[in-house]
Amino acid sequence: SRVYVSVGHQQMMTDPMRPLGLSLWQMKARVPMSEAGGRLFVDVTAALSSPAGRAGLLGMLGRSDPLIGDALQTLVDRAGFLPAPPPDVLTAAGPTPAGAPPVRPIEADPAIVAALVARSQAALAALKRDIQGKSGSALLDLIVADHEELKRFLFDATGMQVILGGIEAARWLDEHLASWLDVKNAGDVLSQSVSGNVTSEMGLALLDVADVMRRHPAVVSHLESVDDDGFMDSLASLPGGQEVHDALRHWLDTYGMRGVGEIDITRPRFCERPTMLLPMVLGHVRNFAPGEAARRIEAGQRRAAELERTITERMRTLPDAEQKVEETHRMIVRLRTFAGYREFPKYAWVSHDAVYKKALLEEGQRLVQAGVLRETEDLYFLRFEELREVVRTRTADPRLIDQRKEAFESYRALRPPRVLTSEGEAVTGVYRREHLPSGALVGLPVCAGVVEGRARVIADVADASLEPGDILVTTFTDPSWTPLFVAIKALVTEVGGLMTHGAVVAREYGLPTVVGVVDATTSIKDGQRIRVDGTHGVVEILD
């Protein structure tokens, strides 16, 4: 029997993907990935087969997504379930391939992060330069070659050290400050308003766009009735419209490659459908005063600094005070230096995908003009290698494309499991907690705090109409949802883990959050008053 773990639950995107998106993801992946129902799964059988691998995998997944961890433990506990370990995985540790170098600790140095970012920006600039004028097989060959360079960056040893350094620093602070001072979830506060988090910066930058827009009522009135993605061209004729156009254009140039379900290259991006932004930015115009982004940053920095001062003063009364203070300060510096970079590799990834996509759609148009494809987006239903063959032979099978379109539509109705076996069994994990409030919904606490408010159950970011004090309840949030985070006071999702993107940004914003709440969007009704306990991972329906 083989055991597979869902990739979508790790990436906060459980919708089905089209064949081109699946195959391009597989080209970037470090390990082989299997497909089922338009979703990707990783075979973890080899890791589970060895004691060291099993301990590493269960430990890692148990912390990041307890439902996956519990489902895997359920399988491990079944008598006779696991096969004997093959010789090549006896030394494997967890999800890391056998023979891979261990990730070593690294001291905090902002220059390390700056060098990684500069390397990525240079590679993206080179791709944009080299792809100009490319078509046909030469274009597809370039995309293959660029994937190899991108993979080297995504799995760069120094980059992994930085990401794990931030994660381990937060864990160290949580554990030691709870033990020494009974301060719970210290890492959640100490990571607020860290620098260099491109995802949280995206949300704050849209507040700045709202500041520009707010000054021009005629533009606001016009945009409230817009439903055409070409609206940017109409702004210049309005009083103040050029200023708003320039602010939106700058935002789109920086973050427009992002979009809902962005791990699938075939899904629309903000730059392709800028109307997706309008409910969010118009909500910011209504609900916030000018300068909100700067206030948010300053407030988070102040809370983090105040907690550091408080715990430093209290530690000075403890045995070995000097050593404890020094170690704690070093971990806080490491956390605040490295935590923001956690979001950058994904940003680099989707930046390259945006360049590929533009070029591939132009190639698709050429194929339509040549009579090879019926419509440009037919290429979405070809795997990348199949597209290379279509480009080479100038022939495509329309029946295959139609079959895949039908299959994709059928996949939309499926709800992917976190863990799947080769026999087709979907294994469900549970949270093993006691003494819960009656009727409470249970999840994984990823940002501390307890708040009450009106639940807004939202399925599509483009439909979001929020008021201050609302609590967002949804299936999953990938980085494209981040601009909504500034407008809410708590977050509840059905999918997510300790270090998925929504959790990372929620901690930086100081937003009480519970993820992995099974059936949250059906158990909670839109408009109900709920209590979210992001410290203990509990959601209560109050009316």
Side-chain angles (χ1 to χ4, degrees), residues 302-373:
R302 186 178 64 251
R303 284 190 291 268
E306 287 173 353
L307 180 58
E308 182 173 7
R309 281 195 298 272
T310 299
I311 60 179
T312 298
E313 290 170 4
R314 290 183 58 192
M315 277 191 292
R316 295 199 186 282
T317 65
L318 301 177
D320 302 318
E322 186 174 337
Q323 180 183 346
K324 287 184 170 69
V325 168
E326 182 182 335
E327 287 180 334
T328 300
H329 176 71
R330 186 170 70 250
M331 287 298 176
I332 292 172
V333 171
R334 179 179 295 180
L335 174 66
R336 296 192 65 81
T337 302
F338 288 158
Y341 183 77
R342 165 68 179 84
E343 293 293 293
F344 189 82
K346 184 80 167 289
Y347 178 80
W349 174 328
V350 297
S351 296
H352 281 248
D353 270 0
V355 179
Y356 305 151
K357 185 176 187 179
K358 182 175 182 294
L360 287 170
L361 287 175
E362 290 170 354
E363 185 67 21
Q365 291 168 4
R366 289 188 286 270
L367 291 169
V368 171
Q369 291 165 3
V372 179
L373 296 179

Side-chain angles (χ1 to χ4, degrees), residues 406-454:
E406 290 178 13
F408 177 74
E409 288 303 316
S410 72
Y411 296 154
R412 290 179 184 274
L414 302 177
R415 188 165 188 168
R418 283 174 165 82
V419 175
L420 187 66
T421 72
S422 52
E423 283 75 30
E425 179 187 3
V427 187
T428 303
V430 298
Y431 293 104
R432 305 199 179 271
R433 309 237 191 99
E434 298 178 348
H435 311 300
L436 294 170
S438 176
L441 305 176
V442 188
L444 176 66
V446 297
C447 186
V450 181
V451 297
E452 296 180 8
R454 180 180 67 160

Side-chain angles (χ1 to χ4, degrees), residues 218-232 234-235 238 274-276 278-279 282:
V219 176
V220 173
S221 178
H222 172 68
L223 292 178
E224 284 173 341
S225 60
V226 158
D227 60 4
D228 178 3
D229 282 311
F231 72 86
M232 297 279 287
S234 66
L235 294 180
L238 299 168
T275 49
M276 292 193 295
L278 292 182
L282 290 169

Side-chain angles (χ1 to χ4, degrees), residues 126 188-189 231 395 428 441 462 473:
D188 292 352
V189 177
F231 72 86
T395 59
T428 303
L441 305 176
V473 180

Side-chain angles (χ1 to χ4, degrees), residues 17-28 35 140 143 147 263-266 356-357 360-361 376-388 404:
M17 297 169 67
R18 294 173 180 84
L20 183 64
L22 290 166
S23 58
L24 283 170
W25 175 285
Q26 288 166 315
M27 286 168 61
K28 295 183 188 76
E35 298 171 30
L140 300 184
I143 291 174
H147 264 81
I263 65 173
D264 180 356
I265 196 173
T266 72
Y356 305 151
K357 185 176 187 179
L360 287 170
L361 287 175
T376 303
E377 293 189 357
D378 279 355
L379 64 84
Y380 290 164
F381 295 91
L382 297 169
R383 297 183 61 81
F384 186 80
E385 287 303 319
E386 293 169 341
L387 179 59
R388 292 181 87 174
R404 288 184 175 171

Side-chain angles (χ1 to χ4, degrees), residues 155-194:
F155 302 111
D156 177 82
T158 302
M160 296 299 291
Q161 286 176 310
V162 168
I163 292 170
L164 292 175
I167 294 171
E168 289 302 322
R171 185 181 302 162
W172 188 97
L173 289 163
D174 281 346
E175 293 176 356
H176 286 77
L177 295 177
S179 173
W180 294 341
L181 302 174
D182 197 31
V183 173
K184 302 292 195 300
N185 305 103
D188 292 352
V189 177
L190 294 168
S191 60
Q192 289 185 23
S193 294
V194 299

